Amino acid sequence: MVLVINLNASIDKRYRMADFRKGEVMRVREVDNTPGGKGIHVANVLGILGEDCLATGFLGGRSGEFIKDRLQEYGIRHDFVDIQGETRSCIAVVDDEGCQTELLEPGPLVSNDEQERFLGKYAELLAAAQVVVASGSLPGGVDKGFYGRLVSLARRSGDKPVLLDTSGEALLQGIEEKPYFIKPNQDELAALLGHDVQSEGEIADAVRGFLAKGIALVAVSLGADGCMAGYDGRICKVSVPKIKCKNPVGSGDSFVAGIAAGMMRGMGIEDTLKLAAACGTANALEDESGFVRRENVEKLFGQIEVEWAL
């Protein structure tokens, strides 16, 4: 089982309209409401791939109930801690030219008691997990070292590998506990290092640095150009085919789902990276974030190229 942690879930609202003008009253042509948050995207893609997974984290209020109901409809197993605060909403405004503007709420305040209840549940769920995915931002009241604590607990529970996908101080502190996998984009990488990282050579050097810290697998997203990855002391470039992108949001989450699926299937590192890149690319073909079509993933898998550096 893949245990997927989403501490700051959301209702993702997608507004479609002719254009978006600041300071004016505008009418929305079409609205989509879907369960969101990086971890929930990961769980959704894992389910589509046929992998056994369970989602956990914090949910509260009517928004939380909506997410639970939708996950039930999707066939995604879940075991969330109920909190007093209301789960947030995140809004994406998409105009007819394809320009997307995102408004991300910060999330509810989670009490110390609620956090302790989650940690108890997490310890129980770890017993049945082979892989742990921890994705997304932290809600209010949760210390920036919380993900690091989850990595440490997973290590003590049978050395379970943790795929950590977050940013900022939460990622910086999480890295200190040596998760199995991280996937910063170039901006996040620059924030971690404290300086700009532009060339592939600079990215490769940064990846080697994280490998030296004890992180087994590192992938740095290059957007439409694929990613640079490092594993077992080696660096590779993962190239993806050119596509007509509909919506890139959720492609990183889909990539993480592909990594987890590859690990569950016992794939070698090269095929695992190909599966991850195929999932990330397949997501970009869809309007919905954190969604892929299995046939697209299978087709794209054969078009992904992995080139190892000497």
Side-chain angles (χ1 to χ4, degrees):
M1 177 190 80
V2 181
L3 178 60
V4 181
I5 300 163
N6 195 143
L7 299 178
N8 202 13
S10 67
I11 295 179
D12 285 354
K13 297 177 175 288
R14 180 178 295 275
Y15 293 166
R16 296 189 178 277
M17 51 204 311
D19 57 8
F20 182 69
R21 301 182 302 276
K22 182 179 177 180
E24 296 187 25
V25 176
M26 292 166 289
R27 295 190 180 275
V28 175
R29 184 172 63 236
E30 181 182 339
V31 180
D32 293 321
N33 294 306
T34 56
K38 294 176 71 62
I40 287 177
H41 291 163
V42 171
N44 192 39
V45 172
L46 283 169
I48 293 168
L49 296 177
E51 298 299 326
D52 181 27
C53 72
L54 184 145
T56 187
F58 301 113
L59 287 178
R62 292 186 177 181
S63 297
E65 292 303 315
F66 170 86
I67 291 172
K68 289 180 186 178
D69 290 344
R70 283 298 182 90
L71 293 180
Q72 196 74 23
E73 291 175 14
Y74 293 173
I76 297 173
R77 294 193 298 134
H78 56 86
D79 189 357
F80 285 86
V81 169
D82 292 323
I83 61 174
Q84 288 295 313
E86 183 79 21
T87 292
R88 64 181 179 153
S89 292
C90 293
I91 298 171
V93 181
V94 185
D95 65 25
D96 286 345
E97 294 183 356
C99 180
Q100 180 162 302
T101 302
E102 294 185 66
L103 305 172
L104 309 180
E105 294 183 6
L109 184 68
V110 180
S111 70
N112 290 334
D113 177 66
E114 291 164 342
Q115 293 178 47
E116 289 302 316
R117 284 196 285 120
F118 170 79
L119 290 171
K121 184 183 294 292
Y122 176 65
E124 295 174 4
L125 294 173
L126 273 174
Q130 284 78 52
V131 176
V132 179
V133 176
S135 291
S137 61
L138 297 171
V142 177
D143 184 82
K144 298 299 183 183
F146 199 79
Y147 277 136
R149 189 173 178 184
L150 299 187
V151 174
S152 178
L153 288 170
R155 184 180 302 111
R156 283 183 265 163
S157 180
D159 202 21
K160 306 294 174 67
V162 178
L163 315 185
L164 179 60
D165 184 17
T166 187
S167 60
E169 188 65 25
L171 177 57
L172 190 63
Q173 292 195 33
I175 286 172
E176 295 304 311
E177 294 297 331
K178 300 179 177 61
Y180 181 86
F181 166 83
I182 59 171
K183 59 158 295 295
N185 59 32
Q186 284 182 261
D187 289 340
E188 291 164 347
L189 184 62
L192 287 172
L193 299 176
H195 59 81
D196 287 343
V197 181
Q198 299 293 337
S199 71
E200 290 188 359
E202 291 174 325
I203 294 171
D205 287 342
V207 169
R208 290 188 185 94
F210 290 121
L211 296 179
K213 288 179 178 288
I215 297 170
L217 176 59
V218 180
V220 177
S221 172
L222 303 177
D225 292 326
C227 73
M228 296 282 292
Y231 179 78
D232 196 24
R234 302 175 67 200
I235 305 294
C236 68
K237 171 73 178 295
V238 182
S239 299
V240 300
K242 300 299 181 183
I243 62 166
K244 186 176 181 180
C245 178
K246 286 188 177 180
N247 174 26
V249 178
S251 287
D253 307 327
S254 301
F255 185 99
V256 174
I259 294 288
M263 293 173 66
M264 291 296 291
R265 296 174 185 182
M267 288 180 164
I269 184 59
E270 190 163 314
D271 281 348
T272 296
L273 288 169
K274 285 183 178 181
L275 179 59
C279 289
T281 306
N283 173 88
L285 293 170
E286 307 295 334
D287 289 323
E288 183 179 343
S289 301
F291 173 80
V292 301
R293 299 182 194 275
R294 198 165 180 172
E295 60 270 23
N296 286 339
V297 173
E298 293 170 354
K299 179 181 178 182
L300 288 162
F301 181 88
Q303 301 176 42
I304 308 296
E305 295 180 359
V306 178
E307 182 180 0
W308 293 93
L310 296 177

